[in-house]
Amino acid sequence: MIQTSPQGTVAYEIVDRVAWVKFNRPDKRNCMSPTLNREMMEVLDELEFSPDVGVLVLSGEGTAWSAGMDLKEYFRDTEALGLKGTRDAQRESYGWWRRLRWYQKPTIAMVNGWCFGGGYGPLFACDLAFAAEEAQFGLSEINWGILPGGGAAKVATELTSIRRAMYHAMMGENIDGKTAAEWGFVNEAMPLDRLKARVTEVANVLLKKNPVALKATKDSIRRVREMTYDNAEDYLIRAQEAANSYDNEGRKEGIKQFIDDKSYKPGLGAYDISKQKA
Ligand code: COA
């Protein structure tokens, strides 16, 4: 059953342990208003620890994934309220992107169409990203007279080369989904009519993995990027030991099913988590 947030800016549906969350302002190309940012945080809150949800997918209703920040409601209207208005709006948007970056469950951006500017925040926040070849990605800020803020400049340099990021940000030209995959903005691109099937396939693989190990893994990949080798080595020891305090049986079961039961091969797939003791 599809549910919507009180003001209708976010829609979501849980099917077979996958939460399909959508930006839901198709008439406004899913641009992010303060209302949407507030409602998205509420929806993320509701789903994060729900036992019914194992993976979260973020996509957009209609022709857009998200046309970035709402130029009227997010920029002009909040600026008219003074510095507090601007800062409040920034905190709300950056807040849910940060929540998503460190979300408890694995997250997938399913980029079905337009993805501009501020949209790069949630794009980067998702652990994995798949795009329609027809989608268009752009740092359009330069076209309307600002720099790529809200993390967008950082996202571009995190995901692609400095030359590409610079050209992308300075020229304000769009790239399609296929190029976005070549540049590293997304994992893969495929025709729009195959996008949902591919994302469902990926989500179903993730659902079969140990959830404590997945959370430790995704956090580790993000954290170690900014560490020296020695710090990363140490962090990974601590992170695994911390994970053991939530699940001390998973890895033992994983070893047992391979070495003793010979029921699977870790090089070829995941152990059967349903057989794991609580
Ligand atoms: N902020 C505010 N309103 C936006 C918007 C945004 N980022 N993106 C789209 N809209 C609104 C339009 O003003 C229009 O509103 P209206 O129906 O009340 O006139 C409606 O959404 C539909 O947009 P439209 O431009 O007619 O759709 P399109 O399919 O022809 O073009 C885009 C789609 C995404 C190319 C175009 O809307 C656009 O360039 N949007 C701005 C993208 C951008 O620069 N974002 C920057 C974020 S920092």
Side-chain angles (χ1 to χ4, degrees):
M1 190 186 56
I2 298 176
Q3 304 189 62
T4 48
S5 56
Q7 306 288 319
T9 60
V10 179
Y12 60 104
E13 181 182 27
I14 301 169
V15 182
D16 299 332
R17 304 200 62 237
V18 179
W20 297 89
V21 178
K22 280 185 172 179
F23 295 105
N24 194 38
R25 301 180 74 209
D27 294 349
K28 296 287 180 187
R29 303 302 179 262
N30 298 325
C31 64
M32 289 175 269
S33 61
T35 306
L36 182 145
N37 291 328
R38 213 166 298 137
E39 294 202 321
M40 188 63 87
M41 182 64 117
E42 285 163 13
V43 169
L44 294 181
D45 260 342
E46 185 178 325
L47 299 173
E48 186 164 21
F49 293 97
S50 165
D52 300 334
V53 175
V55 173
L56 184 142
V57 177
L58 181 60
S59 72
E61 184 62 41
T63 56
W65 192 67
S66 173
M69 309 320 292
D70 187 319
L71 268 61
K72 179 181 178 296
E73 293 186 36
Y74 179 84
F75 285 110
R76 195 166 66 188
D77 295 355
T78 58
E79 196 174 339
L81 301 174
L83 186 59
K84 181 175 179 339
T86 299
R87 290 287 180 268
D88 283 349
Q90 287 166 337
R91 283 190 189 113
E92 281 175 336
S93 54
Y94 303 172
W96 77 261
W97 304 342
R98 187 176 309 115
R99 171 67 67 84
L100 200 56
R101 281 201 302 281
W102 303 105
Y103 210 60
Q104 184 67 29
K105 312 282 169 68
T107 55
I108 305 174
M110 184 169 90
V111 185
N112 51 296
W114 305 112
C115 177
F116 284 108
Y120 283 36
L123 174 73
F124 180 66
C126 289
D127 304 321
L128 301 173
F130 295 82
E133 287 171 355
E134 297 91 330
Q136 293 280 320
F137 294 74
L139 288 182
S140 53
E141 287 89 339
I142 195 67
N143 294 339
W144 65 276
I146 68 163
L147 59 76
K154 175 70 173 161
V155 171
T157 55
E158 286 283 309
L159 296 181
T160 197
S161 72
I162 188 84
R163 287 282 174 233
R164 285 168 171 167
M166 196 69 90
Y167 187 94
H168 197 52
M170 291 179 72
M171 298 291 282
E173 286 175 12
N174 299 336
I175 56 171
D176 63 12
K178 209 158 170 258
T179 308
E182 279 164 31
W183 284 19
F185 284 178
V186 297
N187 292 92
E188 294 169 23
M190 63 226 65
L192 180 60
D193 61 6
R194 295 220 306 268
L195 183 61
K196 188 163 184 188
R198 175 65 181 134
V199 169
T200 304
E201 191 177 80
V202 171
N204 285 336
V205 172
L206 294 172
L207 287 174
K208 294 200 174 72
K209 311 283 188 201
N210 179 309
V212 173
L214 272 178
K215 168 66 171 151
T217 298
K218 56 183 251 177
D219 286 3
S220 295
I221 295 290
R222 282 191 196 271
R223 292 283 184 213
V224 299
R225 296 194 75 229
E226 294 172 2
M227 294 181 190
T228 62
Y229 195 97
D230 276 1
N231 287 346
E233 209 174 54
D234 194 52
Y235 170 86
L236 293 170
I237 290 170
R238 311 288 154 219
Q240 182 58 54
E241 289 172 359
N244 294 349
S245 71
Y246 290 101
D247 173 11
N248 205 21
E249 298 304 318
R251 68 191 187 288
K252 296 177 189 168
E253 181 65 26
I255 294 173
K256 173 181 167 294
Q257 287 183 21
F258 176 48
I259 299 293
D260 303 332
D261 307 347
K262 301 199 181 304
S263 55
Y264 85 113
K265 293 176 194 286
L268 303 178
Y271 74 95
D272 182 352
I273 50 175
S274 70
K275 294 195 174 136
Q276 189 178 321
K277 280 181 275 167

